[in-house]
Coordinates of all heavy atoms in Angstrom, one line a residue:
L1 N -33.9 36.3 20.1 CA -33.8 34.9 20.2 C -32.5 34.4 19.5 O -32.3 34.8 18.3 CB -35.0 34.2 19.6 CG -34.9 32.6 19.5 CD1 -34.7 32.0 20.8 CD2 -36.1 32.1 18.8
V2 N -31.7 33.7 20.2 CA -30.5 33.1 19.6 C -30.6 31.6 19.7 O -30.9 31.0 20.7 CB -29.2 33.5 20.4 CG1 -28.0 32.8 19.8 CG2 -29.0 35.0 20.3
I3 N -30.4 31.0 18.5 CA -30.5 29.5 18.4 C -29.1 29.0 18.0 O -28.6 29.4 17.0 CB -31.5 29.0 17.4 CG1 -32.9 29.5 17.8 CG2 -31.5 27.5 17.3 CD1 -34.0 29.2 16.8
L4 N -28.5 28.1 18.8 CA -27.3 27.4 18.4 C -27.8 26.0 17.8 O -28.3 25.2 18.5 CB -26.4 27.1 19.6 CG -25.9 28.3 20.3 CD1 -24.9 27.9 21.4 CD2 -25.2 29.3 19.4
N5 N -27.6 25.9 16.5 CA -28.0 24.7 15.8 C -26.8 23.8 15.7 O -25.9 24.0 14.8 CB -28.5 25.0 14.4 CG -29.2 23.8 13.7 OD1 -29.7 22.9 14.4 ND2 -29.2 23.9 12.4
T6 N -26.7 22.8 16.6 CA -25.4 22.1 16.8 C -25.2 20.8 16.1 O -26.2 20.2 15.6 CB -25.3 21.8 18.3 OG1 -26.4 20.9 18.7 CG2 -25.4 23.0 19.2
C7 N -23.9 20.4 16.0 CA -23.5 19.2 15.3 C -22.7 18.4 16.3 O -21.8 18.9 17.0 CB -22.8 19.5 14.0 SG -22.1 18.1 13.2
H8 N -22.9 17.1 16.3 CA -22.1 16.2 17.2 C -21.1 15.4 16.5 O -20.5 14.5 17.1 CB -23.1 15.3 17.9 CG -22.7 14.9 19.4 ND1 -21.6 14.2 19.7 CD2 -23.3 15.2 20.6 CE1 -21.5 14.1 21.0 NE2 -22.5 14.7 21.5
I9 N -20.8 15.7 15.3 CA -19.9 14.8 14.5 C -18.4 15.2 14.8 O -17.6 14.4 15.0 CB -20.2 14.9 13.0 CG1 -21.6 14.4 12.7 CG2 -19.1 14.2 12.2 CD1 -21.7 12.9 13.0
R10 N -18.1 16.5 14.8 CA -16.8 17.0 14.9 C -16.2 16.8 16.3 O -16.9 16.7 17.3 CB -16.7 18.4 14.4 CG -17.2 18.6 13.0 CD -16.3 17.9 12.0 NE -16.8 18.1 10.6 CZ -17.3 17.2 9.8 NH1 -17.3 15.9 10.3 NH2 -17.7 17.4 8.6
E11 N -14.9 16.9 16.4 CA -14.2 16.8 17.6 C -14.6 17.9 18.6 O -14.7 19.0 18.2 CB -12.7 16.8 17.3 CG -11.8 16.5 18.6 CD -10.3 16.5 18.2 OE1 -10.0 16.9 17.1 OE2 -9.6 16.2 19.1
K12 N -14.7 17.5 19.9 CA -15.0 18.4 20.9 C -16.3 19.3 20.7 O -16.3 20.4 21.1 CB -13.8 19.3 21.2 CG -12.6 18.5 21.7 CD -11.4 19.4 21.9 CE -10.2 18.6 22.3 NZ -9.0 19.5 22.5
A13 N -17.3 18.6 20.0 CA -18.5 19.4 19.7 C -19.2 20.0 20.9 O -19.6 21.1 20.9 CB -19.4 18.5 18.9
S14 N -19.3 19.2 21.9 CA -20.0 19.6 23.1 C -19.3 20.7 23.8 O -19.9 21.7 24.2 CB -20.2 18.4 24.1 OG -20.9 17.4 23.5
E15 N -18.0 20.6 23.9 CA -17.2 21.7 24.6 C -17.4 23.0 23.9 O -17.4 24.1 24.5 CB -15.7 21.3 24.7 CG -15.4 20.1 25.6 CD -15.6 18.8 25.0 OE1 -16.3 18.7 24.0 OE2 -15.0 17.8 25.6
K16 N -17.4 23.0 22.5 CA -17.6 24.2 21.8 C -18.9 24.8 22.0 O -19.1 26.1 22.1 CB -17.4 23.9 20.3 CG -15.9 23.5 19.9 CD -15.8 23.1 18.5 CE -14.4 22.7 18.1 NZ -14.2 22.2 16.7
V17 N -19.9 24.0 22.2 CA -21.3 24.5 22.5 C -21.3 25.2 23.8 O -21.8 26.3 24.0 CB -22.3 23.4 22.4 CG1 -23.7 23.9 22.9 CG2 -22.5 22.9 20.9
Y18 N -20.7 24.5 24.8 CA -20.8 25.1 26.2 C -19.9 26.4 26.2 O -20.3 27.3 27.0 CB -20.3 24.1 27.2 CG -21.2 23.0 27.5 CD1 -20.9 21.6 27.1 CD2 -22.5 23.2 28.0 CE1 -21.8 20.6 27.4 CE2 -23.4 22.2 28.2 CZ -23.1 20.9 27.9 OH -24.0 19.9 28.1
S19 N -18.8 26.4 25.5 CA -18.0 27.6 25.4 C -18.8 28.8 24.8 O -18.8 29.9 25.3 CB -16.8 27.4 24.6 OG -16.0 28.6 24.5
E20 N -19.6 28.5 23.7 CA -20.4 29.5 23.1 C -21.5 30.0 24.0 O -21.9 31.1 24.1 CB -21.0 29.0 21.8 CG -21.8 30.0 21.0 CD -20.9 31.1 20.4 OE1 -19.7 31.0 20.3 OE2 -21.5 32.2 20.1
L21 N -22.1 29.0 24.8 CA -23.2 29.4 25.7 C -22.7 30.3 26.8 O -23.4 31.1 27.3 CB -23.8 28.1 26.3 CG -24.7 27.3 25.3 CD1 -25.1 26.0 26.0 CD2 -25.9 28.1 24.9
G22 N -21.4 30.1 27.2 CA -20.8 31.0 28.2 C -20.8 32.4 27.7 O -21.1 33.4 28.4
R23 N -20.4 32.6 26.4 CA -20.3 33.9 25.8 C -21.8 34.5 25.7 O -22.0 35.7 25.9 CB -19.7 33.9 24.5 CG -18.2 33.6 24.5 CD -17.5 33.8 23.2 NE -17.8 32.7 22.3 CZ -17.0 31.6 22.2 NH1 -15.9 31.5 23.0 NH2 -17.3 30.6 21.4
L24 N -22.7 33.7 25.3 CA -24.1 34.1 25.1 C -24.7 34.5 26.5 O -25.6 35.5 26.5 CB -24.9 33.1 24.5 CG -24.7 32.8 23.0 CD1 -25.5 31.7 22.5 CD2 -25.0 34.1 22.2
R25 N -24.3 33.9 27.5 CA -24.9 34.3 28.9 C -24.5 35.7 29.2 O -25.3 36.5 29.7 CB -24.3 33.3 29.9 CG -24.8 33.6 31.3 CD -24.0 32.9 32.4 NE -22.7 33.4 32.4 CZ -21.7 32.8 33.0 NH1 -21.9 31.6 33.7 NH2 -20.4 33.3 33.0
V26 N -23.3 36.1 28.8 CA -22.9 37.5 29.1 C -23.7 38.5 28.2 O -24.2 39.5 28.7 CB -21.4 37.7 28.7 CG1 -20.9 39.1 28.8 CG2 -20.5 36.8 29.6
V27 N -24.0 38.1 27.0 CA -24.8 38.9 26.1 C -26.2 39.0 26.6 O -26.8 40.1 26.6 CB -24.8 38.4 24.6 CG1 -25.7 39.2 23.7 CG2 -23.4 38.3 24.1
K28 N -26.7 37.9 27.1 CA -28.1 37.9 27.6 C -28.2 38.7 28.9 O -29.2 39.5 29.1 CB -28.5 36.4 27.9 CG -29.9 36.3 28.4 CD -30.3 34.8 28.6 CE -31.7 34.6 29.1 NZ -32.1 33.2 29.2
D29 N -27.2 38.7 29.7 CA -27.2 39.5 31.0 C -27.2 41.0 30.6 O -27.8 41.8 31.2 CB -26.0 39.1 31.9 CG -26.2 37.7 32.5 OD1 -27.3 37.2 32.5 OD2 -25.2 37.2 33.0
E30 N -26.4 41.3 29.6 CA -26.3 42.7 29.2 C -27.6 43.2 28.6 O -28.0 44.3 28.9 CB -25.2 42.9 28.2 CG -25.0 44.3 27.6 CD -24.5 45.3 28.7 OE1 -23.9 44.8 29.7 OE2 -24.7 46.5 28.5
A31 N -28.3 42.3 27.9 CA -29.6 42.7 27.3 C -30.6 43.0 28.5 O -31.3 43.9 28.4 CB -30.1 41.6 26.4
A32 N -30.5 42.1 29.5 CA -31.4 42.3 30.6 C -31.2 43.6 31.3 O -32.1 44.3 31.8 CB -31.3 41.1 31.6
R33 N -29.9 44.0 31.5 CA -29.6 45.2 32.1 C -30.1 46.4 31.4 O -30.4 47.5 31.9 CB -28.1 45.4 32.3 CG -27.5 44.5 33.5 CD -26.1 44.9 33.8 NE -25.2 44.5 32.8 CZ -24.6 43.3 32.7 NH1 -24.8 42.4 33.6 NH2 -23.7 43.1 31.7
N34 N -30.3 46.2 30.0 CA -30.8 47.3 29.2 C -32.3 47.2 29.0 O -32.9 47.8 28.1 CB -30.1 47.3 27.8 CG -28.7 47.6 27.9 OD1 -28.3 48.5 28.7 ND2 -27.8 47.0 27.1
G35 N -33.0 46.3 29.8 CA -34.4 46.2 29.8 C -34.9 45.4 28.6 O -36.1 45.5 28.3
R36 N -34.1 44.5 28.0 CA -34.5 43.7 26.9 C -34.4 42.2 27.2 O -33.3 41.8 27.7 CB -33.7 44.1 25.6 CG -34.2 43.4 24.4 CD -33.5 44.0 23.2 NE -32.0 43.9 23.2 CZ -31.3 42.8 22.9 NH1 -32.0 41.7 22.4 NH2 -30.0 42.8 23.0
Q37 N -35.4 41.5 26.9 CA -35.3 40.0 27.2 C -34.8 39.3 26.0 O -35.3 39.4 24.8 CB -36.7 39.5 27.5 CG -36.7 38.0 27.8 CD -38.1 37.5 28.2 OE1 -39.1 38.2 28.2 NE2 -38.2 36.2 28.5
M38 N -33.8 38.5 26.2 CA -33.2 37.6 25.1 C -33.4 36.2 25.6 O -33.2 35.8 26.7 CB -31.7 37.9 25.0 CG -31.0 36.9 24.0 SD -29.2 37.0 24.0 CE -29.0 38.4 22.9
S39 N -33.8 35.3 24.6 CA -34.0 33.9 24.8 C -32.9 33.2 24.1 O -32.4 33.6 23.0 CB -35.3 33.4 24.4 OG -36.4 34.0 25.1
I40 N -32.4 32.0 24.7 CA -31.4 31.2 24.0 C -31.9 29.8 23.9 O -32.5 29.2 24.8 CB -30.1 31.2 24.9 CG1 -29.5 32.6 25.0 CG2 -29.1 30.2 24.3 CD1 -28.3 32.7 26.0
A41 N -31.8 29.2 22.7 CA -32.2 27.9 22.4 C -31.0 27.1 21.9 O -30.2 27.6 21.1 CB -33.4 27.8 21.4
V42 N -30.9 25.8 22.3 CA -29.9 24.9 21.7 C -30.7 23.8 20.9 O -31.6 23.2 21.5 CB -29.1 24.3 22.8 CG1 -28.0 23.3 22.2 CG2 -28.3 25.3 23.6
A43 N -30.4 23.7 19.7 CA -31.1 22.7 18.8 C -30.0 21.8 18.2 O -28.8 22.0 18.4 CB -31.8 23.5 17.7
G44 N -30.5 20.8 17.4 CA -29.5 19.9 16.7 C -29.1 18.7 17.5 O -29.7 18.4 18.5
C45 N -28.0 18.1 17.0 CA -27.6 16.8 17.5 C -27.0 16.8 18.9 O -27.2 15.9 19.7 CB -26.6 16.2 16.6 SG -27.4 15.7 15.0
V46 N -26.3 17.9 19.3 CA -25.8 18.0 20.7 C -27.0 18.1 21.6 O -27.0 17.5 22.7 CB -24.8 19.2 20.8 CG1 -24.4 19.3 22.3 CG2 -23.5 18.9 20.0
A47 N -28.0 18.9 21.2 CA -29.2 19.0 22.0 C -29.8 17.7 22.2 O -30.3 17.3 23.3 CB -30.2 20.0 21.4
Q48 N -29.9 16.9 21.2 CA -30.5 15.5 21.2 C -29.7 14.6 22.2 O -30.3 13.9 23.0 CB -30.6 14.9 19.8 CG -31.3 13.6 19.8 CD -32.8 13.7 20.0 OE1 -33.4 14.6 19.5 NE2 -33.4 12.8 20.7

């Protein structure tokens, strides 16, 4: 389980989150190919 605990105060906060989620999608896909389930959660102020 990977949790991104986000902040909406700093500049381009949302873009940074989506960029990180793009990298995590690759990691999640690789885990699936290896027979392992990974979950991703977004928490914090950008999530809100």
Side-chain angles (χ1 to χ4, degrees):
L1 171 61
V2 177
I3 301 176
L4 299 185
N5 191 27
T6 61
C7 175
H8 213 293
I9 297 297
R10 301 295 179 244
E11 186 176 8
K12 299 180 180 178
S14 300
E15 289 87 339
K16 292 176 182 176
V17 171
Y18 289 117
S19 176
E20 183 67 21
L21 288 173
R23 288 189 286 269
L24 286 177
R25 183 192 62 194
V26 175
V27 176
K28 184 176 182 177
D29 289 345
E30 179 65 22
R33 283 192 291 272
N34 293 326
R36 185 170 60 84
Q37 182 178 0
M38 172 189 283
S39 298
I40 298 174
V42 180
C45 290
V46 173
Q48 184 71 39

